[in-house]
Amino acid sequence: MRVDLFDFDLPQDLIALRPAVPRDSARMLVVPGEGAFADRVVRDLPDLLEPGDVLVFNDTRVIPAQLEGRRGEARIGATLHKRMDLRRWQAFVRNAKRLREGDRVEFGAGVTAIAEARHDDGSFTLAFEGDEAVEVLLERAGRMPLPPYIAQRRETDERDRTDYQTMFAARDGAVAAPTAALHFTPDLLARLEQRGVATETLTLHVGAGTFLPVKAEDTDEHRMHAEWGRIDAATADRLNAARQSSRRVIAVGTTSLRLLESAVGEDGTIHAFEGDTAIFITPGYAFRAIDGLMTNFHLPKSTLFMLVSALMGRERMQAAYAHAIAEKYRFYSYGDSSLLLP
């Protein structure tokens, strides 16, 4: 499909620079498969779900993966993208023309790394020196990796260390937040439990590649980035039992959805999964693992807008986004939410 079919115009003043306070006060556009859209707020979620529904969250934790350093007199910026082993990370590099294989980059606070290899996409393998865990080094020298559309408009600050983290964050490794879950609070979770809504967690370490633009003119020509994820066998068994008893499985975020759809078989059975996924979902895809999706509003011509268009239909999502823009919903990572129920 042509990528420009997924384009739309977004006023810049609708890009959220801070999350709603409290988190569950964010607005939420309910998009059914047909019929009218409904303007609600996230705290209404228990009233919109049925007893027995299952919400699936991503428990990844964002690490301070953005580094500023020097190679001699050259300033080098690095955004870690994907862990390769205990001491090596693949990283997108700013000013990469000044960096060669074998160079040492000094990131301050006693943190140094060797640029071991350049990849075809221009990124580098960075091998961190020393004996301390890389996560410890990042806490000392790194910053939270806010999306470019926020970072270009304001400085990252200490508040982002908590704002850009979900209440489910437990497993270090993401360099972008699973933002649909940013709207949840302990109070909302308790009310969902009272309603009889079950919750499950999986892990997908979101990479910085999620923000890369689609440069191809046709979706068939786009190469999707890979991310590491895990679903344990017990979680898979509970999700299968829910679906076998006709209970809905609703992914909270495109990251949860992509991992579930990576782990499901042709017969609709969700299997235990551990490894990389580079699944790219576009219209025509047959969903097997989920019955709905809660997600924020995505960028024009992005792989994530293609995903929601695959779930609901491209024209339906174009209409939903036009409604959201007209009603001045807040967009992107710190913005409002939508509940998609095909």
Side-chain angles (χ1 to χ4, degrees), residues 19-28 40-46 167 180-192 294 336-337:
V21 179
R23 294 189 179 203
D24 59 6
S25 68
R27 299 170 72 191
M28 183 169 66
R40 305 294 290 264
V41 294
V42 172
R43 66 167 64 101
D44 293 337
L45 192 58
M167 64 172 290
L182 291 177
H183 303 295
F184 285 79
T185 64
D187 176 69
L188 177 56
L189 215 59
R191 291 174 51 234
L192 286 164
M294 183 175 172
D336 294 319
S337 186

Side-chain angles (χ1 to χ4, degrees), residues 216-277:
E217 295 183 359
D218 192 281
T219 56
D220 289 342
E221 299 168 358
H222 177 66
R223 181 180 177 184
M224 194 71 173
H225 60 282
E227 296 166 318
W228 183 92
R230 181 175 186 269
I231 301 174
D232 63 41
T235 300
D237 288 344
R238 290 191 297 270
L239 290 171
N240 288 324
R243 302 208 76 208
Q244 288 164 7
S245 58
S246 299
R247 296 158 58 200
R248 293 186 300 182
V249 172
I250 298 172
V252 179
T254 57
T255 62
S256 296
L257 184 152
R258 290 178 65 243
L259 188 56
L260 287 168
E261 291 294 330
S262 299
V264 71
E266 293 285 340
D267 62 352
T269 300
I270 298 170
H271 301 282
F273 182 98
E274 184 167 357
D276 286 350
T277 176

Side-chain angles (χ1 to χ4, degrees), residues 3 6 209-215 219 222-225 227 254 257-258 278-283 298-310:
V3 170
F6 302 93
T210 193
F211 300 120
L212 291 178
V214 178
K215 296 180 179 179
T219 56
H222 177 66
R223 181 180 177 184
M224 194 71 173
H225 60 282
E227 296 166 318
T254 57
L257 184 152
R258 290 178 65 243
I279 190 171
F280 181 25
I281 296 175
T282 58
H298 304 294
L299 281 74
K301 297 195 291 187
S302 65
T303 60
L304 300 183
F305 186 62
M306 294 171 193
L307 183 155
V308 296
S309 296

Side-chain angles (χ1 to χ4, degrees), residues 272-329:
F273 182 98
E274 184 167 357
D276 286 350
T277 176
I279 190 171
F280 181 25
I281 296 175
T282 58
Y285 178 85
F287 290 87
R288 299 184 182 92
I290 60 98
D291 304 289
L293 171 66
M294 183 175 172
T295 186
N296 287 15
F297 294 95
H298 304 294
L299 281 74
K301 297 195 291 187
S302 65
T303 60
L304 300 183
F305 186 62
M306 294 171 193
L307 183 155
V308 296
S309 296
L311 181 64
M312 304 301 297
R314 186 182 64 84
E315 292 183 357
R316 185 67 168 163
M317 288 314 302
Q318 287 283 13
Y321 274 48
H323 176 94
I325 290 168
E327 295 297 321
K328 298 190 181 302
Y329 278 72

